[in-house]
Structure formats: C-alpha cells, structure tokens
Amino acid sequence: KAGVTQTPRYLIKTRGQQVTLSCSPISGHRSVSWYQQTPGQGLQFLFEYFSETQRNKGNFPGRFSGRQFSNSRSEMNVSTLELGDSALYLCASSLTPSSNTQYFGPGTRLTVL
Amino acid sequence: GESVGLHLPTLSVQEGDNSIINCAYSNSASDYFIWYKQESGKGPQFIIDIRSNMDKRQGQRVTVLLNKTVKHLSLQIAATQPGDSAVYFCAENIPNTGFQKLVFGTGTRLLVSP
C-alpha cells in the first residue's frame, strides 16, 4: 500500500505570494492532518480534516487554510507569505479522526525569500 | 529535509548499546502516546504507541514505558544500530471531542557510532 504523498517536495516563494501544497493520504484513510515543522518551534499542529470538513485547528493565523476533497486528498494554502513561514510542512493521515495513529508523508520544504 | 532544531538534546551511543530516550509530556489528560523517528529528509515514522491505561509496551527491539504519576515517557532501543540514528519525537494525544490533536515534544537526536 502506498504511503502518504506530498507535492511538491520543495518550493521557493517570495514574501507576499501565496502557495498551495497537496497531500494524498494512504488509501482508505479519511482523516488528514497538517503540521508545520521549524527548528525553533518544532512540530506544530495546523489543522485536521475529515469528510471534507475542518474538525480541529491549531493556533495559526487565518493566512493558513486548507480543504479536503471527496477522495480524501487535501490541500493547504498559505496566503501573503512571510519569511517566518519557511518550514517543512507535513501531512499525516489516519483511518478516522479517532484513530490516533497518524502516518506522515515526506513533507514539503517551503522557503520564503 | 531538516528535522532538528539548533538546541536538540543529543544522545550518543555505541553500536550494540541499549538507548533510552526520555520525554516529559504536558497534559495529565492525554490518553495516547506515540514515538516517532525522523531521519533527515523524511517525515516522522511511527515506531510504537501506548495508551494511558498501560505502563509498558514492547515492540521489536523497542519498549515504551509510561509513568503517568510524573508525566514521563521513555523509549528504550535494544542493541542500537547505526540505522537507528535519527531524531526521536514523543507525541501525546490530548482528548478533544474525539478528534485528533497530537502535541509533539521537541525531539532528541540519537547518534549511533559504529
């Protein structure tokens, strides 16, 4: 069974631009969570989607948003990029929201110049 | 991909030694705990988990111990191998109306010398 896939793997943007990252969960998994990983803050929870609905949200500004499609694939969007948004963005999938075990993708490395 | 911070605690061991990585978690209501391993350029990889109604769980070469009294979690790796070199994160699930919210520790870098 294929693991979680994320595209693109690397991205370079400039301040003020917006970016969309994509995540395909493990086949059969319906819950997708997003995390931001930085050297200073570690792994921080962004949001979780299930059945095309955001079920849980971390403490990030409204510039960070996401959505989930009927096939469970998810996208996250960051608008008006800031230098501090440079990070590794990780997607994790699980069978359902109550299935605690999450399986991570390789991440998208975003660099904001 | 970068998986470590500038001030990550580091554990250095020799190949064949047993390693113990510790983690203090934050919320006494947390009901589920996971250890992840993250190698450079990769996302976190599930190692082992434990529910709060247990105090010990064993996997292949790994054992997780949970002490709820002092909110402490440890990961023991037997006969550590160079391939075990990575950053290890503990994560706690804080109950939230049945949906997931994993809170991760800062991580510990394990360096295994041949």
Side-chain angles (χ1 to χ4, degrees):
Chain A
K1 186 183 276 191
V4 178
T5 58
Q6 292 186 244
T7 57
R9 291 294 311 277
Y10 302 92
L11 204 49
I12 298 175
K13 292 285 188 179
T14 56
R15 280 181 298 174
Q17 287 187 307
Q18 73 164 12
V19 66
T20 299
L21 312 180
S22 181
C23 171
S24 292
I26 292 171
S27 178
H29 285 194
R30 297 170 59 200
S31 177
V32 173
S33 297
W34 288 90
Y35 294 84
Q36 181 195 67
Q37 187 175 35
T38 60
Q41 300 296 321
L43 265 161
Q44 291 191 291
F45 173 77
L46 278 158
F47 25 64
E48 179 194 11
Y49 286 88
F50 177 72
S51 293
E52 302 175 64
T53 303
Q54 187 181 94
R55 299 299 179 122
N56 214 346
K57 190 177 185 338
N59 297 322
F60 279 83
R63 299 186 297 109
F64 292 80
S65 62
R67 59 177 175 168
Q68 187 181 33
F69 302 94
S70 59
N71 61 358
S72 296
R73 191 177 68 85
S74 177
E75 289 181 346
M76 68 163 282
N77 184 77
V78 188
S79 61
T80 320
L81 283 166
E82 301 176 359
L83 295 178
D85 296 333
S86 294
L88 181 68
Y89 289 89
L90 291 159
C91 166
S93 77
S94 59
L95 281 169
T96 65
S98 58
S99 304
N100 301 113
T101 305
Q102 296 183 2
Y103 298 90
F104 283 83
T108 294
R109 167 68 61 189
L110 172 65
T111 300
V112 182
L113 303 176
Chain B
E2 190 172 348
S3 63
V4 301
L6 293 175
H7 303 292
L8 271 187
T10 299
L11 176 64
S12 297
V13 301
Q14 293 286 112
E15 182 178 3
D17 287 351
N18 295 331
S19 302
I20 300 176
I21 300 171
N22 296 304
C23 174
Y25 63 92
S26 63
N27 195 314
S28 57
S30 294
D31 59 358
Y32 178 70
F33 305 86
I34 312 174
W35 280 99
Y36 285 95
K37 171 187 180 183
Q38 189 172 22
E39 298 172 280
S40 183
K42 299 183 179 179
Q45 176 190 357
F46 173 87
I47 301 174
I48 192 169
D49 58 1
I50 188 168
R51 297 204 173 273
S52 59
N53 61 352
M54 303 170 69
D55 53 20
K56 180 179 181 179
R57 190 167 187 217
Q58 288 184 291
Q60 188 176 17
R61 280 202 308 120
V62 294
T63 301
V64 56
L65 298 177
L66 174 63
N67 184 332
K68 293 182 287 294
T69 303
V70 295
K71 294 190 289 186
H72 183 268
L73 197 65
S74 68
L75 176 70
Q76 300 178 0
I77 305 174
T80 314
Q81 302 167 0
D84 294 328
S85 294
V87 177
Y88 289 81
F89 294 95
C90 67
E92 60 183 304
N93 180 69
I94 301 174
N96 182 16
T97 64
F99 295 104
Q100 300 192 55
K101 185 178 179 182
L102 286 182
V103 175
F104 285 80
T106 53
T108 296
R109 182 197 294 270
L110 177 64
L111 295 175
V112 184
S113 306

